Amino acid sequence: MASVVGVTEISSGKMFGGYNKRYKHYSQTLGCSMNFHIYFPPNISDNNKPFPVLYWLSGLTCSDENFIFKSGAQRAASQHGVALIAPDTSPRGLNVEGESDSWDFGVGAGFYLNATQEKWKNWRMYDYVVKELPELLKDNFPQLDTSKASIFGHSMGGHGALTIYLKNLDKYKSVSAFAPVANPTNCPWGQKAFTNYLGDNKSDWEDYDATYLVTKFPGVSATILIDQGEDDKFLHDQLLPRKFEEACKNANVPLLLRFQPGYDHSYYFISTFIDDHIQHHAQALRLN
């Protein structure tokens, strides 16, 4: 196992001329050991120019592995010269009572927020993704240009990507999402997570709801891309993309919302349209 300061490489595999590499480190933000993946594209031009980064945020029950194993994103990432960064979805190994009692809360379900309730105080995935992980990459991987970054994700991770982007327009060039939880204050997944992580004050919930945030931070110039499967069983009660679409329209925020006939919520859907998303971000990162 190769090691740099505070970061240990635990696996490596070549793909489309580049390398999938998995790392572990101790997170001061979360208080536990965390894993993440990087896909390093091949350096085709041989100019050793560092790669821009594209963060992927996964959905409920996932780890840092699902996207790397299932999406096929590495093909387009290698062609466009974009590094893919895939973190985990929650702290692990803290043994908080009830953390694994349900699949939609606790372990594997961090919702990319900073919990304010004492029991869940280590669930600070927002700070981990926005602050700690970029600093870790900057300090340990000179082949990455973390000043050029974009973000995307799926389901809970689509919610994370949209909310993080809208609150940090200075940090990310673009955002996209597959079947995001677009209005979590009004769906069962979001209400369960927000009640436990943030408490009962619903005004606090709005800080992590893209449908509210898009009206609060309307200075979006890059088009937001969302793909949504029409046969997604979660579409009408959990995801609510039409609510987000309406909010974008009212705030004059550019949105391309594509409903894809016959597709569900799975990685079959994601892998079908992943190349479009990589291209979307590559253009925003001025690679074309």
Side-chain angles (χ1 to χ4, degrees):
M1 291 193 291
S3 185
V4 288
V5 179
V7 180
T8 302
E9 180 184 313
I10 51 180
S11 69
S12 177
K14 192 170 185 178
M15 189 174 187
F16 296 115
Y19 285 88
N20 295 313
K21 290 182 179 286
R22 194 183 197 197
Y23 298 92
K24 67 178 179 180
H25 73 109
Y26 181 81
S27 168
Q28 296 290 343
T29 302
L30 305 175
C32 64
S33 178
M34 292 292 284
N35 296 330
F36 63 92
H37 266 90
I38 303 177
Y39 174 70
F40 295 99
N43 197 333
I44 297 170
S45 61
D46 292 325
N47 61 5
N48 290 319
K49 188 176 180 181
F51 302 114
V53 297
L54 177 53
Y55 295 92
W56 170 267
L57 304 183
S58 283
L60 290 165
T61 75
C62 291
S63 71
D64 59 302
E65 294 184 302
N66 301 67
F67 176 74
I68 295 296
F69 290 176
K70 295 181 177 181
S71 71
Q74 294 91 334
R75 184 194 299 271
S78 70
Q79 293 169 347
H80 289 287
V82 176
L84 302 172
I85 315 295
D88 205 343
T89 54
S90 77
R92 293 184 190 268
L94 293 171
N95 298 317
V96 175
E97 182 186 1
E99 68 176 17
S100 299
D101 286 356
S102 56
W103 64 273
D104 57 356
F105 179 78
V107 170
F111 273 85
Y112 305 101
L113 49 72
N114 289 335
T116 56
Q117 301 306 289
E118 178 65 21
K119 181 176 180 179
W120 304 102
K121 63 185 178 182
N122 290 78
W123 266 249
R124 299 181 61 82
M125 288 301 294
Y126 178 90
D127 276 357
Y128 179 74
V129 170
V130 175
K131 298 176 181 178
E132 184 177 12
L133 185 57
E135 281 298 313
L136 187 81
L137 299 177
K138 181 181 177 182
D139 291 345
N140 291 285
F141 300 99
Q143 62 272 55
L144 303 179
D145 182 357
T146 55
S147 70
K148 288 186 177 180
S150 291
I151 191 165
F152 67 154
H154 171 232
S155 194
M156 176 186 73
H159 141 78
L162 291 171
T163 55
I164 286 171
Y165 172 77
L166 290 168
K167 292 203 276 190
N168 298 276
L169 293 172
D170 58 325
K171 287 186 170 71
Y172 304 96
K173 307 294 186 188
S174 54
V175 67
S176 71
F178 294 86
V181 182
N183 187 201
T185 60
N186 287 314
C187 79
W189 283 341
Q191 290 164 354
K192 178 178 180 178
F194 289 177
T195 299
N196 284 281
Y197 290 137
L198 301 174
D200 294 325
N201 186 349
K202 294 189 177 180
S203 65
D204 293 338
W205 299 7
E206 295 177 7
D207 285 340
Y208 297 103
D209 187 319
T211 297
Y212 287 97
L213 290 173
V214 80
T215 61
K216 193 174 178 182
F217 301 102
V220 178
S221 56
T223 298
I224 297 171
L225 171 62
I226 294 177
D227 274 313
Q228 172 64 60
E230 287 187 355
D231 284 8
D232 188 325
K233 66 181 179 180
F234 302 117
L235 172 57
H236 299 294
D237 62 339
Q238 300 282 14
L239 305 178
L240 311 178
R242 292 296 191 191
K243 297 279 191 183
F244 183 68
E245 182 183 39
E246 184 181 350
C248 286
K249 185 177 180 180
N250 291 338
N252 292 314
V253 168
L255 170 68
L256 177 57
L257 172 59
R258 309 191 303 187
F259 284 90
Q260 305 292 358
Y263 287 93
D264 60 14
H265 198 68
S266 73
Y267 268 91
Y268 297 136
F269 158 61
I270 293 170
S271 61
T272 300
F273 300 102
I274 194 70
D275 287 10
D276 289 352
H277 286 246
I278 302 290
Q279 184 174 2
H280 169 80
H281 294 294
Q283 289 174 339
L285 293 162
R286 299 189 186 89
L287 293 171
N288 292 338

